[in-house]
Amino acid sequence: MQFANSAKINTADELAKISDQSLVRSKAYVNGKWVGARSGSTFDVIDPGTLEKVGSVADMDASEVRNAIEVATGAFDTWKKTTAKQRSVLLRKWHDLIVSNKDDLARLMTLEGGKPVTEAAGEVLYGASFVEWFGEEAKRVYGDVIPSPVSNSRAVVMKQPVGVVGIITPYNFPNAMITRKVAAALAAGCTVVARPAYETPFSALALCELAERAGIPPGVINVLPCSSENTPAVGYELTTNPLVRKISFTGSTAVGKLLMSQASTTMKKVSLELGGNAPFIVFEDADLTVAAEQLIACKFRNSGQTCVCANRVYVHESVYDEFVGKFVALVKEKLRLGYGLSEGTTFGPMMTERGMSKVEDQLQLAIDAGARVATGGCRPKGLNVSGYYFEPTVLVDVSDDVPMTCEETFGPLCPIYKFGSEEEVLRRANNVSVGLAGYFFSRDIGRIFRVAESMEVGMIGVNTGVISSEAAPFGGVKESGVGREGSRYGIDEYLNIKYMSIAF
């Protein structure tokens, strides 16, 4: 295993290197003000790369979220009456401020989330792209005029904002998950109350600081961090409060089901981007070098902690050994494990001890069932920093009868399975309860359409392992959720359709 620069790291020293310290906020943002919890309670945010404290953040409770919902409801009365052009101008200003503060935002994200700083900078730009996109889409929310069956009437369809939106985001993309949801809501004319992940609240709070500088009015964006202990009650308040008319959540399928059940009590609209178990299929006619290179990006980005990363790699038996050789060599060559802010790091820590334990459990069960470790397979030895580090691991000769086949790993564990025919691999790829993303590699145009149409997923990468874009609809099928984010379809999730019949 290759390690990045081994210079000693101190989290407090790295935090002090953020140029604009006003981006480092530790209080909630409600009604345009920075407020602490009424109880005075805070919770610590830990750097997963050093296990040192980044800072302490206000621990808001359900009653304070209820107050923020009332604030957002009042702000909605004014915000919904702004023109699409006015909202577009403000979102453009927010976008430009995010881009101009990219380096500070990336450093802050690495400190609380662990990902390599170059990867974090990429996320900042990716997150900003949604603000830009939806700022432009605000001006393209079109209605319809429907031909009437009678001569003295007209039928008109208009689209209107749903109201206050409750937003709950995960730790793995602390910038982009906020912007992808908030920008769409604001563009549509909605106001928001957001709860960022307790592991990574600083990125969301920094975005609030920039939104305020952009001139977005008080009460339109409200962000309230809370501890893991307060999370269930805060989530319950967002999902059951009748003033909230929509819930947007990214996270696990189990929690998504719970939130959907709670939201049903007041018949809220919901957007749920939930767990995945992406198949990555390499057919015998694929370009194996391209497939191996793309699998590096698809599997090991953010240390395997993405919902669309390859979870099951299927390789045709006739090219299995050749592909495994190419891929393992690339893993050893390209991935340098280390602290996210250390020079040369391309592979950082995982986010939690719980996540590492799951990887270790799945790994051992696969080995017990006959799988072999081709590279990696343990917590690294010789790294000069404490943290949640686990080597990028490749398993070969994996059986279908192991947990990683049917469960999302959410970590740097890459199992490679053999298959013999197109029909067989499609059956195995679809034999899971979720369907977020899938990937396959082939140069046969007929096969490309057959397989793409047969895979039970919401998004497909053909000859690529990178599919996310602000212009493309993001979402899944089956138990991977409902609704779409990004693209021209994403803004519709925040709009109600109203039909008006006019007689004369």
Side-chain angles (χ1 to χ4, degrees), residues 146-155 499-504:
I146 300 172
S148 174
V150 293
S151 61
N152 66 334
S153 73
R154 297 293 183 269
Y499 155 62
M500 178 171 61
S501 179
I502 307 170
F504 54 87

Side-chain angles (χ1 to χ4, degrees), residues 48-385:
T50 64
L51 305 188
E52 297 171 0
K53 186 170 80 170
V54 180
S56 298
V57 177
D59 188 4
M60 311 301 280
D61 64 21
S63 67
E64 290 161 317
V65 170
R66 190 177 309 122
N67 174 69
I69 292 169
E70 293 170 359
V71 166
T73 301
F76 176 64
D77 289 338
T78 303
W79 183 249
K80 69 181 179 181
K81 295 173 184 175
T82 57
T83 67
K85 176 70 173 179
Q86 288 172 317
R87 298 194 295 273
S88 178
V89 168
L90 290 173
L91 286 170
R92 182 70 206 195
K93 289 179 180 177
W94 192 26
H95 162 272
D96 292 346
L97 285 166
I98 294 170
V99 172
S100 64
N101 286 274
K102 177 192 69 173
D103 292 342
D104 279 348
L105 294 172
R107 176 173 288 273
L108 186 60
M109 189 191 307
T110 296
L111 286 166
E112 66 176 346
K115 64 178 62 177
V117 68
T118 52
E119 195 173 310
E123 183 188 331
V124 172
L125 295 179
Y126 175 59
S129 73
F130 288 103
V131 182
E132 178 184 47
W133 175 269
F134 284 114
E136 294 166 349
E137 284 298 295
K139 298 178 286 185
R140 300 183 181 91
V141 176
Y142 302 130
D144 288 296
V145 177
I146 300 172
S148 174
V150 293
S151 61
N152 66 334
S153 73
R154 297 293 183 269
V156 176
V157 174
M158 63 183 75
K159 294 180 180 180
Q160 296 180 308
V162 298
V164 177
V165 179
I167 291 173
I168 302 174
T169 58
Y171 65 73
N172 58 335
F173 288 94
N175 179 294
M177 292 300 96
I178 289 287
T179 59
R180 190 161 75 183
K181 299 174 187 295
V182 172
L186 267 57
C190 300
T191 56
V192 303
V193 178
R195 188 238 70 175
Y198 55 81
E199 298 95 339
T200 54
F202 284 111
S203 290
L205 296 172
L207 288 169
C208 291
E209 170 66 27
L210 296 177
E212 183 176 274
R213 295 181 194 177
I216 293 174
V220 174
I221 298 177
N222 306 277
V223 173
L224 294 90
C226 70
S227 64
S228 59
E229 290 78 13
N230 276 341
T231 290
V234 166
Y236 186 80
E237 181 65 35
L238 287 171
T239 53
T240 59
N241 191 309
L243 296 177
V244 176
R245 296 313 311 150
K246 176 181 170 61
I247 291 292
S248 179
F249 168 74
T250 296
S252 72
T253 295
V255 174
K257 288 179 178 180
L258 174 63
L259 297 178
M260 189 174 190
S261 174
Q262 293 172 348
S264 70
T265 62
T266 49
M267 293 301 293
K268 300 184 193 326
K269 292 186 74 168
V270 294
S271 296
L272 304 172
E273 192 264 284
L274 308 179
N277 190 342
F280 186 105
I281 304 169
V282 181
F283 287 102
E284 66 272 23
D285 63 326
D287 184 321
L288 300 185
T289 299
V290 170
E293 291 171 345
Q294 291 296 306
L295 182 55
I296 291 282
C298 184
K299 176 65 224 182
F300 292 120
R301 182 169 58 115
N302 199 19
S303 299
Q305 299 169 116
T306 76
C307 53
V308 295
C309 77
N311 206 65
R312 299 165 291 150
V313 180
Y314 296 99
V315 180
H316 193 272
E317 58 192 10
S318 67
V319 295
Y320 186 88
D321 290 341
E322 183 181 357
F323 177 82
V324 167
K326 286 178 179 287
F327 179 60
V328 170
L330 280 174
V331 170
K332 294 177 178 179
E333 175 191 348
K334 300 284 188 182
L335 299 182
R336 291 181 175 269
L337 190 147
Y339 185 68
L341 291 169
S342 294
E343 184 180 353
T345 295
T346 59
F347 186 86
M350 294 187 65
M351 191 67 224
T352 66
E353 176 68 33
R354 183 179 67 255
M356 284 214 303
S357 295
K358 181 178 181 180
V359 168
E360 289 174 321
D361 290 345
Q362 286 194 352
L363 173 61
Q364 190 57 54
L365 288 168
I367 292 171
D368 292 345
R372 294 184 297 107
V373 176
T375 187
C378 62
R379 303 186 186 209
K381 299 175 178 63
L383 198 62
N384 77 326
V385 62

Side-chain angles (χ1 to χ4, degrees), residues 11-33:
T11 296
D13 291 343
E14 296 301 325
L15 184 65
K17 293 177 184 177
I18 291 176
S19 299
D20 185 352
Q21 286 290 313
S22 65
L23 292 174
V24 185
R25 292 288 185 172
S26 60
K27 294 183 177 181
Y29 185 70
V30 180
N31 202 21
K33 298 185 175 89

